[in-house]
Amino acid sequence: MIYQVYVRSFLDSTGDGIGDLAGVRAGLPYLKKLGVDGIWLSPFYPSPQHDHGYDVADYCDVDPLFGDLDEFDLLVGAARRLGIKVLLDIVPNHCSSEHPWFREALAAPPGSPARARFHFADGRGPDDAEPPNNWHSMFGGPAWSRVTEPDGRPGQWYLHMFAPEQPDWNWRNPEIAAEFERILRFWLGRGIDGFRIDVAAGLFKHPELPDSDDPEADARTRDSVNPLAWNQPEVHDVWRRWRSICEEYTERDGCERLLVGEVSVPTAREHAQYVRPDELHQAFFFDLLSAPWDPDAFQKVISEAMQDIAGTGSTVTWVLNNHDQVRTVTRYGEPATEGSGLGAARARAAALLMLALPGAAYIYQGEELGLPEVVDLPDDVLTDPIFRRTGSRARIRDGCRVPLPWSGQASPFGFTSGEESAKPWLPQPEYFAEYATDRALADTRSFWHLYRDGLQLRAALPQLGEGTLRWLDSPPGVLAFERGDDLVCAVNFGTAPTPAPVSGTPLLASGPCPPGVLSGSTAAWWIRS
Ligand code: GLC
């Protein structure tokens, strides 16, 4: 179980209102107590922060906002002493427009080797005023921006599948592969345990960059679905090479390294290709995260994953929350029942379901506190480039990135150790007081205790280790499955109680369950006697 640390919102040690690496180090004992196996750190590299660090200007350093390399080494050392693995977030699809190679490309003429590291192309139509093709960016608007040539004239266009400040690398140029090998070795040599790979189905584009039949698909779905821009066969060679580099380090020091990819592809079968034995160890299977609160939808996603991914000998990697998605508590709540706690009850049940599935599980900071999405942030504090690029229509990713509450009754809730006046970079609502970690730890009915207990059992019970699952017959609205010979997990998606599939007291339940009963919006685990 890996815990995603969104560094700028975890814990601020300097009082500037932005979380940092020293804050992460200070929070490690908290994570140890929760029972995590490892952490994935969101990007902390030097960056102008147009997409909170997913626009990397220097892949081998730390942005002064977050600390420096010495602080990074201290963090890795402290994590190692606690037995917590450290994964970095590597961003190979694109860099920042302030990366020295992109600046060099802007200063160089069309056709130069400096431009060949990116996708520069002439425009179409009179005066080349139209982009080279009709692709849309994931963040809205065209995927191309036009540059001014060094002589001051309007010039070529460059491709950016995300924001204009994130030019895509041209992976058909061998120099890029070589540069990323250097970057991998830089961090592996500093003792890290692996990488979460951003946009791992990206990297290669169709060599001719032709028009797409459905140009707005990417912007509409925010999934990489344009078959000309994503999921090209050549990308698998990169993952094979990266895997062999990891293995080289493992042979050297005996420590396993892990590659986990952010893979959004249309089907579980295509997904399985990314986790073949010589490619990535893990890839997030986002279908569970996108499934509505509905037993048939959940069952379909889990069955497909078990058949098409686990069935080919790889592991499924489950995730319900991350820094790009509306938090489960809010996602599963229905507007009509707001305030009833239904979203929270369902999010707790979903957590027990996920922790009972075969495979790896990732949780996103604040998920263990049951934090809801902050839905009423004022427009002027929103920083997600999607908001800007969609003409202020899509308020998507700021509400799950609000800094964590640690203690106390008022913002900054212990998030920042600075002056009382230091403001967290996104405002925390007053109700965050209820979710602060000190309260959560003190209340055995909290989300935190459910996650902690679930993780302890998951680590201790062999039934919850490797292996598969077997669906059990269950009443309508209930999903039940068995792990090993005798561990049963059941989830009641409805709101009315149903008979429990196993008599006796559950090992763990996401809400109160009298013996023999599975309450509404509740999941439980039992050992069958
Ligand atoms: C991934 C990240 C997201 C980022 C995008 C571009 O989807 O999770 O936060 O904006 O890549 O790097």
Side-chain angles (χ1 to χ4, degrees), residues 267-515:
T267 64
R269 288 223 173 121
E270 283 162 287
H271 185 99
Q273 312 243 299
Y274 286 79
V275 283
R276 285 179 288 201
D278 58 347
E279 295 200 33
L280 305 178
H281 303 83
Q282 301 178 344
F284 298 117
F285 188 59
F286 291 117
D287 293 28
L288 190 67
L289 184 154
S290 3
W293 184 251
D294 171 79
D296 297 337
F298 268 61
Q299 189 169 30
K300 180 167 181 284
V301 164
I302 296 168
S303 298
E304 263 174 22
M306 295 314 296
Q307 187 183 312
D308 294 343
I309 305 170
T312 62
S314 345
T315 322
V316 186
T317 299
W318 306 102
V319 56
L320 289 167
N321 290 281
N322 66 29
H323 65 296
D324 294 329
Q325 305 293 337
V326 172
R327 288 185 179 274
T328 35
V329 168
T330 305
R331 213 163 70 220
Y332 297 148
E334 287 168 3
T337 56
E338 221 171 275
S340 68
L342 192 58
R346 289 172 171 174
R348 292 171 65 97
L352 276 203
L353 167 78
M354 175 174 80
L355 294 180
L357 292 173
Y362 281 66
I363 72 172
Y364 171 51
Q365 68 182 37
E367 180 176 338
E368 82 284 14
L369 302 173
L371 277 189
E373 185 82 0
V374 181
V375 291
D376 49 5
L377 290 168
D379 284 5
D380 60 349
V381 303
L382 301 182
T383 56
D384 180 1
I386 298 181
F387 182 66
R388 220 174 354 105
R389 300 222 5 119
T390 56
S392 311
R393 282 192 309 280
R395 305 166 65 89
I396 299 177
R397 303 188 303 173
D398 289 289
C400 64
R401 298 175 177 180
V402 176
L404 287 190
W406 290 86
S407 59
Q409 296 302 317
S411 181
F413 301 112
F415 163 71
T416 161
S417 59
E419 303 289 305
E420 285 298 307
S421 60
K423 291 216 176 19
W425 69 276
L426 277 177
Q428 299 160 304
E430 274 171 33
Y431 64 76
F432 262 32
E434 288 167 45
Y435 298 90
T437 59
D438 61 348
R439 277 225 212 172
L441 265 85
D443 177 0
T444 52
R445 290 159 313 168
S446 67
F447 263 77
W448 193 89
H449 280 272
L450 179 71
Y451 272 90
R452 203 274 318 260
D453 294 351
L455 291 173
Q456 270 180 0
L457 287 172
R458 190 175 146 96
L461 294 172
Q463 296 94 320
L464 292 177
E466 283 178 27
T468 185
L469 64 78
R470 200 162 57 79
W471 292 110
L472 303 175
D473 287 340
S474 54
V478 174
L479 283 189
F481 58 85
E482 192 166 41
R483 299 283 326 271
D485 289 334
D486 55 1
L487 189 133
V488 174
C489 170
V491 189
N492 183 353
F493 284 76
T495 47
T498 65
V502 180
S503 57
T505 312
L507 264 186
L508 185 62
S510 66
C513 278

Side-chain angles (χ1 to χ4, degrees), residues 51 54 91 94 139 162 166 196 198-199 262 323-324 397 401:
D51 187 19
Y54 286 97
V91 189
H94 46 265
F139 288 171
F162 295 88
Q166 295 167 297
R196 176 266 187 189
D198 193 58
V199 195
E262 184 199 26
H323 65 296
D324 294 329
R397 303 188 303 173
R401 298 175 177 180

